[in-house]
Amino acid sequence: MFRTALRNVSAHKARLLMTVLAVMLGVAFVSGTLVFTNSLSDALQKQSAKGFDHVDVAVTPRWKEGEGGKTGAYHELTRELVDASAAVPGAARAIGTVQGFTALADKDGKLIGDGFQSQGGNYWGAEDPRYPLVSGRAPKGEGEILIDSRTAERAGYEVGDTVRMSVDGPVLEPVVTGVFTTDDGNVAAGGSLTLFDTASAQKLFGKAGTFDEIAVEAKDGVSDTALRAQLEKALPSDAVETTTGTRLADDQAKAIASSMSGLKQGLLVFAGISLFVGTFIIANTFTMLVAQRTKELALMRAVGASRRQVTRSVLIEAFVVGTVAAVAGLVAGVGIGAGLRSLMGTLDAPMPDGPLVISPGTVGSAFVVGILVTMLAAWLPGRRAAKIPPVAAMSALHATATTKSLVLRNTLGALFSAAGVAVVLAATTMEGADGQAPMGLGAVLLIIGVFVLTPLLSRPLIAAVAPVLRVFGVSGKLARQNAVRNPRRTAATASALMIGLTLITGMTVMAGSLQKSIDKMAASALEADYMVSMVNGRPLSSDVEKELKRADGVTATSPMRNAYAGVDGQDEYLTGVNGATIGELTDFPMAQGAFEVDGTRAVVDEDTAKSYGWKAGSAFTLVREDGAKRKLTVSGVYRANELVRGILVDTAVLDPHASEPADMMVMVKTADGTSDATKEALEKALGANPVITVQDKQDLSNEIAKMFTLILNMVYGLLAMAVIVAVLGVVNTLAMSVFERSQEIGMLRAIGLDRKGVKRMVRLESLVISLFGAVLGLGLGVFFGWAAGELVGSRMATYELVLPWGRMGLFLLLAAVVGVLAALWPARRAARLNMLQAIKAE
């Protein structure tokens, strides 16, 4: 039986090719994902480990403790603590480090990097071992800086150049006094690192006289644990805590691995979708191969082969196919991993240097996935073939499904579908995250149910296009009959395409609906003409609002200032606003009371009011950052949105007690409204700062739309693999169907159907199957998009379902194109059959 199975694989190489390709693509996706993420994780871990070369023990501040626990402030790391750390017997040196956001502009005034990896720090003394100088000297005073060598090369800066930069808003123009090298991971990822002398860094980052961390390096022969023990004795334990560099490196490695696991899981989900779609092709292929060899298998049963041996022979064929596909997929996956590394470099997201990591787990996963998926998909056709009685198999080419099996299948499909719809509908009534798991379960049940019911659905849906097919005469009529001749085969072929289009349509519906909802939210809640913020979402300096107030044409401004405080014994982040102007800049619908904010009154959103049991007129005690208390009254309860929520208080209540006021945004209203001239004037008033954006409502909407478009394009690209696999399934099914119907096609040719008619028949059959799968996919996608939207709508009052008719029409058109292209080779093969040889074929 083993030799027979190998001969069958050898005899049907061409017919198994598409199956090999489908499995290979899925395996390549899986192994490519593992190679890429493992290589990236390994490179980042090695890169981050280098950053701890001069840190044997790190000293960091502890939270200050107050009456109710943490006060929201840290103890300070002073110069005295740095000197005390350097004085312990085992310390070679101690360096006080200061870090903060620093954005650097290139010679054209544009931001270097995306802002998120743009960092600043301090250069310790005249020679800092952490940052070896390539050229120049250490900086002195606020007017001098050092820049990293990669940034200098990328922007074309040299020692002596004047650069434009910003820390939290205002533009600075220091001189470059030196260029240094660094192993900083942010720089390797395309960001920049700017260094000041220690005093300037402390002043610019709002940490005058204090440090973020003390890095202590041990003397030769002193272990990091011994040094840590000495530091714990010398330093106040209630104010600082110590961590070894080894522990920091390990924690960093775990954090990198954890962040990579999210990316890895996301990519593997799409790889799993491709493999799931591939199972339809495998099952279809082996079903058709087994059907074509029914008499052969029956003869084997007649001469003594058992059912198990027949099933085992089919599984051996699947094992061989899976092994070949796994090897090819692994090789292709290594190429994909290498290609993704190169692609990141071309997209201004360079990877740290490091080898391509092909772990034993990657190799094992490729073989397990390839072989297991193939054998599981082939098991049912093999089992079905073994159950056919030898006498029945010898008397007919195909064993038709019994009425009992069809009734059982349709009953199961109806039950799964009904259960799926019921669970999804129940999930739409839940709140936010509570409904995610039930909705996912319902979606899986519904997809399984529709797949099981697809043979039943194929007849009425394909019959609906019969009038259109009549236009093509005999070819159209034959195409319709061929499409419904074997409903199970048609269903499996169409379902592969259905899965991909379901996901694509659902994502498109969700993205369009969210975009519309956010536009509506901005229009209904904001009266401000412009929103001013940092490009990377970091806090603005309070000086920005002062500059905007002085700008010509500005009639009202208000910051959205975040501050930490205690509210009735609980920690909260409050938003400080200008109580005198906030009413002109926003228009929130009120659930209770009035929107009035001043030194004694605050407004809260409905969720916050509910959590504290507040209503209009309720009083609460505010404990600010420095421990000072203030009693406030709730003047009103507003309906929040995604832009603004929580407790809004007057900035005068917070500012005197906050160490670092942080404006996340400044809202601006102008006398002339929005215009290019007004926007340009505001940007000019801020010094044409590369890190500050001035946006009106349309700009905000366009930015969000750009984000949604980027996400959608990524999803489309990742799901493209599943669609390609589905196309291979259509090609494979048609090619094997043509071979199976060789005698029939020969008879058609003999009685007058020309080659063009044969080609047209196969193409129309492919078109009908593809459109059938597309219609099911679009229907399910719209349903899932609506259901997910209902879940989002529970948290977003402005949510509104938007059906992207244009895109759905495009998806339908693309499905038709897929059907036509998939039929090119099978149609040509059918038309070139020799009619006499075909008529004689078994």
Side-chain angles (χ1 to χ4, degrees):
M1 294 301 293
F2 180 75
R3 288 196 299 270
T4 302
L6 293 180
R7 287 197 198 100
N8 282 325
V9 172
S10 178
H12 301 117
K13 291 190 292 288
R15 280 177 263 176
L16 290 169
L17 177 62
M18 294 299 175
T19 300
V20 171
L21 283 175
V23 179
M24 184 200 78
L25 287 174
V27 172
F29 205 155
V30 171
S31 54
T33 294
L34 295 175
V35 168
F36 171 66
T37 53
N38 288 343
S39 300
L40 181 57
S41 180
D42 180 71
L44 288 173
Q45 287 178 21
K46 288 178 179 176
Q47 187 85 43
S48 67
K50 291 180 182 178
F52 297 104
D53 287 347
H54 298 284
V55 183
D56 289 308
V57 178
V59 180
T60 53
R62 291 184 182 274
W63 282 97
K64 289 181 179 178
E65 296 290 333
E67 293 179 8
K70 295 177 182 177
T71 62
Y74 285 100
H75 285 278
E76 294 180 343
L77 295 181
T78 61
R79 184 61 188 246
E80 288 74 22
L81 287 175
V82 177
D83 294 339
S85 300
V88 300
R93 66 170 62 86
I95 296 174
T97 65
V98 185
Q99 295 177 329
F101 169 71
T102 303
L104 204 64
D106 60 21
K107 292 185 176 181
D108 296 325
K110 295 180 180 178
L111 180 66
I112 296 175
D114 60 8
F116 290 93
Q117 289 89 24
S118 301
Q119 299 295 319
N122 66 311
Y123 190 82
W124 188 257
E127 186 176 345
D128 193 327
R130 300 172 299 166
Y131 307 112
L133 289 174
V134 176
S135 59
R137 60 169 176 80
K140 297 176 182 177
E142 290 183 40
E144 297 183 350
I145 61 168
L146 301 179
I147 59 175
D148 66 89
S149 56
R150 294 193 186 195
T151 299
E153 181 180 356
R154 185 168 42 178
Y157 284 133
E158 298 177 352
V159 174
D161 287 345
T162 299
V163 301
R164 288 171 60 81
M165 54 159 284
S166 176
V167 172
D168 58 0
V171 176
L172 305 173
E173 295 187 343
V175 174
V176 177
T177 64
V179 177
F180 63 92
T181 59
T182 178
D183 294 320
D184 189 280
N186 287 320
V187 174
S192 63
L193 180 59
T194 308
L195 300 179
F196 309 86
D197 69 89
T198 299
S200 298
Q202 289 173 327
K203 181 180 177 181
L204 288 169
F205 300 142
K207 301 164 184 174
T210 65
F211 301 91
D212 293 312
E213 183 181 289
I214 301 172
V216 188
E217 191 172 349
K219 291 179 179 178
D220 292 339
V222 178
S223 67
D224 54 3
T225 53
L227 177 60
R228 183 188 177 198
Q230 294 175 8
L231 287 167
E232 287 181 338
K233 291 179 181 178
L235 302 178
S237 59
D238 62 330
V240 301
E241 55 186 344
T242 57
T243 311
T244 64
T246 303
R247 174 66 180 273
L248 289 173
D250 291 343
D251 290 345
Q252 185 80 350
K254 289 177 183 177
I256 291 171
S258 176
S259 65
M260 284 295 103
S261 72
L263 174 63
K264 184 185 296 185
Q265 288 172 9
L267 292 173
L268 287 176
V269 165
F270 288 97
I273 293 169
S274 297
L275 284 166
F276 181 61
V277 171
T279 59
F280 294 114
I281 300 177
I282 301 165
N284 244 5
T285 301
F286 278 93
T287 298
M288 296 172 76
L289 283 174
V290 166
Q292 291 166 14
R293 288 161 36 208
T294 302
K295 288 186 178 180
E296 173 192 327
L297 294 174
L299 182 60
M300 292 171 63
R301 289 286 312 282
V303 297
S306 66
R307 286 185 176 184
R308 286 188 178 181
Q309 286 179 310
V310 171
T311 304
R312 198 178 301 136
S313 71
V314 176
L315 291 178
I316 290 170
E317 293 179 44
F319 176 81
V320 174
V321 170
T323 303
V324 172
V327 172
L330 178 61
V331 173
V334 172
I336 289 173
L340 286 173
R341 278 169 53 106
S342 301
L343 180 63
M344 286 189 69
T346 61
L347 295 177
D348 292 328
M351 280 181 58
D353 295 331
L356 206 62
V357 177
I358 308 170
S359 66
T362 300
V363 176
S365 297
F367 279 95
V368 168
V369 168
I371 294 171
L372 195 63
V373 167
T374 309
M375 292 185 69
L376 284 175
W379 175 77
L380 191 59
R383 183 172 176 273
R384 192 182 298 134
K387 291 176 70 176
I388 301 173
V391 175
M394 287 182 179
S395 63
L397 182 60
H398 301 292
T400 59
T402 63
T403 304
K404 181 180 177 182
S405 68
L406 292 174
V407 169
L408 179 61
R409 180 185 181 112
N410 294 338
T411 302
L412 286 174
L415 290 173
F416 269 100
S417 299
V421 171
V423 173
V424 168
L425 292 178
T428 61
T429 64
M430 300 179 183
E431 289 287 332
D434 294 339
Q436 291 178 3
M439 186 164 290
L441 174 62
V444 171
L445 290 174
L446 181 54
I447 288 175
I448 292 173
V450 171
F451 168 64
V452 175
L453 282 176
T454 305
L456 180 66
L457 297 173
S458 65
R459 290 187 178 276
L461 289 178
I462 293 175
V465 298
V468 178
L469 293 175
R470 289 197 194 102
V471 175
F472 299 96
V474 174
S475 296
K477 183 178 181 180
L478 291 171
R480 184 183 67 80
Q481 291 175 346
N482 289 334
V484 297
R485 174 187 295 184
N486 192 328
R488 287 185 176 180
R489 183 187 304 166
T490 299
T493 307
S495 294
L497 196 58
M498 176 192 79
I499 299 295
L501 280 177
T502 295
L503 296 171
I504 289 172
T505 305
M507 289 294 297
T508 304
V509 170
M510 277 293 297
S513 300
L514 283 171
Q515 175 64 47
K516 177 75 173 178
S517 304
I518 290 172
D519 289 348
K520 188 176 176 182
M521 180 195 305
S524 63
L526 292 178
E527 293 294 325
D529 294 319
Y530 292 99
M531 282 68 70
V532 179
S533 60
M534 297 284 275
V535 294
N536 61 351
R538 293 182 65 92
L540 284 162
S541 166
S542 55
D543 292 337
V544 171
E545 189 198 7
K546 297 174 184 176
E547 294 293 335
L548 289 168
K549 280 182 178 179
R550 291 194 289 264
D552 293 338
V554 173
T555 59
T557 65
S558 174
M560 302 293 288
R561 185 169 296 165
N562 285 1
Y564 178 91
V567 177
D568 288 353
Q570 298 188 41
D571 297 336
E572 288 281 356
Y573 270 99
L574 278 61
T575 301
V577 297
N578 186 331
T581 61
I582 190 66
E584 300 177 53
L585 299 164
T586 59
D587 184 22
F588 290 105
M590 300 299 294
Q592 298 176 32
F595 197 92
E596 296 174 346
V597 179
D598 54 32
T600 60
R601 292 178 294 182
V603 293
V604 300
D605 68 329
E606 290 179 299
D607 288 344
T608 303
K610 183 179 179 181
S611 65
Y612 284 101
W614 293 340
K615 59 184 179 180
S618 297
F620 64 93
T621 301
L622 189 69
V623 182
R624 287 158 290 187
E625 188 176 315
D626 62 355
K629 297 180 180 180
R630 182 71 169 266
K631 193 169 184 178
L632 295 176
T633 301
V634 176
S635 64
V637 178
Y638 67 94
R639 293 189 175 94
N641 58 38
E642 297 304 307
L643 297 176
V644 182
R645 61 176 58 247
I647 303 173
L648 304 186
V649 301
D650 196 284
T651 53
V653 175
L654 299 175
D655 288 357
H657 308 276
S659 58
E660 297 178 42
D663 291 353
M664 301 312 296
M665 178 191 297
V666 177
M667 293 183 284
V668 181
K669 196 169 185 63
T670 61
D672 300 327
T674 58
S675 68
D676 291 341
T678 304
K679 182 177 180 180
E680 186 177 342
L682 292 176
E683 290 175 341
K684 189 175 180 181
L686 295 172
N689 196 316
V691 298
I692 294 181
T693 62
V694 179
Q695 297 175 303
D696 59 21
K697 293 178 187 178
Q698 188 59 49
D699 293 332
L700 190 63
S701 176
N702 292 341
E703 184 178 339
I704 294 169
K706 185 178 179 182
M707 178 184 68
F708 281 136
T709 301
L710 176 63
I711 294 172
L712 264 184
N713 288 339
M714 289 175 60
V715 171
Y716 289 163
L718 292 168
L719 288 175
M721 185 72 76
V723 175
I724 291 172
V725 173
V727 172
L728 291 177
V730 178
V731 175
N732 204 34
T733 299
L734 289 173
M736 296 186 72
S737 179
V738 165
F739 178 85
E740 188 178 89
R741 303 197 315 255
S742 295
Q743 190 176 61
E744 176 188 317
I745 292 171
M747 290 294 295
L748 290 171
R749 288 289 315 284
I751 60 176
L753 188 65
D754 60 11
R755 288 187 172 182
K756 286 185 178 180
V758 172
K759 285 183 179 179
R760 192 180 301 118
M761 175 186 72
V762 177
R763 287 172 186 162
L764 289 173
E765 181 182 349
S766 176
L767 183 64
V768 166
I769 293 173
S770 297
L771 288 177
F772 172 50
V775 168
L776 289 179
L778 289 174
L780 285 174
V782 168
F783 176 69
F784 291 140
W786 166 82
E790 290 294 302
L791 207 57
V792 172
S794 66
R795 300 287 296 173
M796 184 183 289
T798 57
Y799 185 82
E800 179 183 338
L801 179 67
V802 175
L803 294 181
W805 295 107
R807 290 214 174 190
M808 289 195 294
L810 179 62
F811 295 157
L812 206 59
L813 179 62
L814 289 175
V817 172
V818 163
V820 172
L821 293 178
L824 289 178
W825 177 59
R828 186 168 178 269
R829 190 166 178 265
R832 295 180 65 182
L833 284 174
N834 183 297
M835 68 178 75
L836 294 179
Q837 291 180 354
I839 290 171
K840 291 190 298 179
E842 285 290 336

